[in-house]
Amino acid sequence: PASKFHVREYARDEFAELLGTYFHSVELYGQNPSPLWQVRLLGALGRHISPVLLTRARQLTKLRFLLPWRWQEQEVRPMAANRDYEYIIAVCTKPKAQ
C-alpha cells in the first residue's frame, strides 16, 4: 500500500467483489478522479524511483484540485470506466441471508 497506515488497498473490482459477498446490492462512487494514463505512468515511474519521489509526483498531480474551477472534481460521483479514483465510496444494501 502507498500509505503506511493502510494494511491493504483494494482495486475497484476487488472491493466490489468483497462487498458483494456480504451485501445484495453494491454501488460504487468515486472522488478525486485521475485519467488512467496518468495512473499507469505513475505506476511505471514507481518501479524506477523511490517511494518518496513517487508520493511527491502524485501530490503534484493533485494541485489542480486547488483551482476554484476544478473544485467540482472533488465531488463524490458515479465512477466512470476511463478514470481511476483516489477514494472509492460504497453504498451497500440488503445484507445477504445467512
Side-chain angles (χ1 to χ4, degrees), residues 3-96:
S3 171
K4 65 181 179 181
F5 303 106
H6 295 181
V7 174
R8 172 105 159 70
E9 292 180 353
Y10 290 92
R12 177 190 320 195
D13 294 338
E14 292 175 309
F15 190 48
E17 185 178 330
L18 175 66
L19 293 171
T21 62
Y22 298 100
F23 295 95
H24 175 68
S25 172
V26 176
E27 294 179 36
L28 297 181
Y29 297 86
Q31 185 179 22
N32 294 358
S34 294
L36 289 179
W37 67 264
Q38 186 180 69
V39 174
R40 289 182 181 130
L41 176 63
L42 288 172
L45 280 174
R47 292 188 284 278
H48 303 287
I49 64 175
S50 76
V52 172
L53 285 176
L54 182 62
T55 299
R56 296 295 178 246
R58 175 66 179 130
Q59 289 171 336
L60 286 173
T61 68
K62 292 167 51 172
L63 287 176
R64 71 184 188 277
F65 294 129
L66 297 177
L67 302 171
W69 57 88
R70 303 294 291 266
W71 288 348
Q72 77 277 3
E73 290 185 32
Q74 294 188 56
E75 295 174 356
V76 174
R77 58 183 63 197
M79 297 178 86
N82 62 344
R83 299 272 186 217
D84 192 52
Y85 294 84
E86 184 174 9
Y87 305 108
I88 299 174
I89 297 95
V91 177
C92 306
T93 57
K94 298 184 182 175
K96 287 191 173 181

